[in-house]
Amino acid sequence: MAILDILIYPDPALRVQCRDVTEFDDKLKKLLQDMFETMYSAKGVGLAAPQVGVPLKLFVAEWEGGRHVLANPEIIEAEGSERTDEGCLSFPGIYEEVARPNKIRILYHDENGRRHDEVVEGFLARVFAHETDHLNARLLIDHLSALKRTFLRKRMGKKARSA
Ligand code: NI
């Protein structure tokens, strides 16, 4: 297993359009192991493949002891709205209030290519929505007001230059 580098905003690779996962092989399983390892080491609850430079529709998450692997996720229904502080491993140290649905219905493939149709609520729905956003090149910053976006861009730009 290997700990992968997590790309930090404004890395352009965070804005690529991801491809569907079509091969559910050992190579995918190896990538998933590395993604879990990377997520644990960064103390995150979710990590999307483009965050480690792999442009695939794939993310991992862990919440309350449940490990989740979602490939080709598609949110087909969303209900309710809740505003809560949210973070992202590609925006270290940033927590901003983001509105997300309370309840979603999501279609996806697991690591073996089996299809699932699930209804997810609460915090896990937030995580799944956040990670699905990554696969569509949508980031935490895109959910903020224009003023906050400008502030955050400046702050992250400075960080990138001093790194
Ligand atoms: Ni994120």
Side-chain angles (χ1 to χ4, degrees), residues 79-86 96-102 125-126 129-130 133 138 140 142-144:
E79 227 177 82
S81 180
E82 201 175 297
R83 298 186 70 86
T84 304
D85 273 1
E86 198 174 292
E96 290 288 345
E97 217 176 58
V98 175
R100 299 277 185 191
N102 293 320
R126 171 171 295 272
H130 175 111
D133 265 2
R138 192 167 160 82
L140 178 64
D142 305 327
H143 288 272
L144 307 180

Side-chain angles (χ1 to χ4, degrees), residues 51 87-90 130-131 134:
Q51 290 182 280
C88 176
L89 293 176
S90 294
H130 175 111
E131 301 308 330
H134 272 294

